[in-house]
């Protein structure tokens, strides 16, 4: 009994050994592996005699070219502007450092001047305080002297010296004015 759906092929023993090793490696039967090889070559339209496989090479080259093109596009779109902007930012930072160093020098100079001004203001405050104390002492002295003078005038009136009242008034106003001018 012969099955019409089965055909046989004769091939050398070396090819059978290679087919057996390949089938064992892939975990398939030789018959299944052979059928899959035929399907592969039929669908891919590759020539098994062409070991270099020009279609595969062409696809690989196209893939590599697409990858290189993508990398170049990313380089021009992202990397080059980033490098340019980084250089500009670095230059700005260097300029800002120079400016900040200059400001630091001015700040130190201003600090010295402010300390000097604070010292002088302290001296001025002490001087104003002394002057204020002197004015208070002068006013107190005038009040005491006025009391002494008023007491003197009152006592002189009680003694009754024979002096005209105009001369008394003139003496009193002169003494009071002299007291205010102290």
């Amino acid at each position: 009994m012969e099955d019409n759906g089965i055909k046989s092929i004769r091939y050398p023993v070396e090819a059978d050994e290679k087919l057996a090793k390949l089938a064992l490696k892939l975990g398939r039967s030789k018959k299944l592996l052979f059928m899959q090889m035929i399907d592969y070559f039929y669908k891919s339209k590759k020539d098994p005699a062409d070991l270099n496989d020009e279609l595969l090479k062409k696809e690989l080259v196209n893939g590599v070219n697409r990858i290189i093109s993508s990398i170049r596009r990313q380089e021009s779109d992202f990397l080059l502007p980033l490098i340019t902007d980084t250089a500009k930012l670095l230059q700005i930072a260097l300029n800002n450092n120079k400016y900040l160093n200059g400001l630091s020098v001015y700040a130190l100079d201003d600090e010295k001047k402010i300390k000097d001004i604070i010292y002088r203001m302290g001296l001025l405050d002490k001087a104003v305080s002394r002057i204020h104390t002197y004015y208070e002492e002068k006013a107190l002295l005038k009040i005491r002297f006025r009391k002494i003078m008023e007491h003197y005038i009152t006592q002189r009136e009680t003694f009754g010296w024979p002096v005209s009242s105009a001369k008394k008034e003139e003496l009193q106003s002169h003494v009071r004015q002299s007291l205010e001018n102290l």
Side-chain angles (χ1 to χ4, degrees), residues 74-182:
Q74 288 176 359
E75 179 184 6
S76 66
D77 290 348
F78 301 115
L79 191 58
L80 291 178
L82 181 65
I83 291 171
T84 305
D85 291 344
T86 304
K88 288 177 185 176
L89 289 174
L90 183 60
Q91 185 62 37
I92 289 170
L94 291 174
N95 289 340
N96 284 344
N97 282 345
K98 290 177 187 175
Y99 178 71
L100 290 175
N101 288 338
L103 286 179
S104 174
V105 169
Y106 285 122
L108 291 174
D109 188 43
D110 285 348
E111 183 180 2
K112 290 176 186 175
K113 288 179 181 178
I114 288 172
K115 285 181 181 178
D116 187 41
I117 289 171
I118 289 172
Y119 174 73
R120 289 181 183 186
M121 290 296 288
L123 292 178
L124 186 61
D125 187 41
K126 288 178 184 176
V128 168
S129 177
R130 272 187 271 148
I131 290 172
H132 183 65
T133 304
Y134 292 149
Y135 275 123
E136 286 178 352
E137 288 176 359
K138 182 180 175 183
L140 186 61
L141 185 62
K142 282 183 181 182
I143 290 170
R144 287 180 183 165
F145 189 72
R146 183 175 287 125
K147 285 182 183 178
I148 293 171
M149 186 188 73
E150 292 296 331
H151 179 69
Y152 168 75
I153 292 172
T154 327
Q155 291 300 319
R156 192 193 67 201
E157 290 294 323
T158 57
F159 290 137
W161 290 340
V163 180
S164 70
S165 81
K167 285 197 173 206
K168 286 181 187 178
E169 288 294 323
E170 182 183 337
L171 176 64
Q172 288 175 4
S173 67
H174 177 68
V175 171
R176 285 186 182 125
Q177 185 63 39
S178 296
L179 177 61
E180 289 299 321
N181 290 338
L182 275 178

Side-chain angles (χ1 to χ4, degrees), residues 64-77:
V64 169
N65 286 341
R66 280 195 309 265
I67 291 170
I68 292 173
S69 156
S70 173
I71 290 172
R72 284 186 180 150
R73 191 174 328 111
Q74 288 176 359
E75 179 184 6
S76 66
D77 290 348

Side-chain angles (χ1 to χ4, degrees), residues 12-45:
V13 174
E14 297 88 23
D16 184 54
E17 288 173 0
K18 289 180 184 177
L19 184 61
K21 285 181 185 178
L22 194 57
L24 184 63
K25 181 180 175 183
L26 296 175
R28 302 176 191 140
S29 68
K30 291 195 284 187
K31 182 178 176 184
L32 178 62
L33 183 60
F34 183 75
M35 289 172 31
Q36 288 174 342
M37 287 181 349
I38 292 173
D39 286 341
Y40 172 78
F41 288 118
Y42 183 78
K43 288 178 184 174
S44 67
K45 296 182 172 98

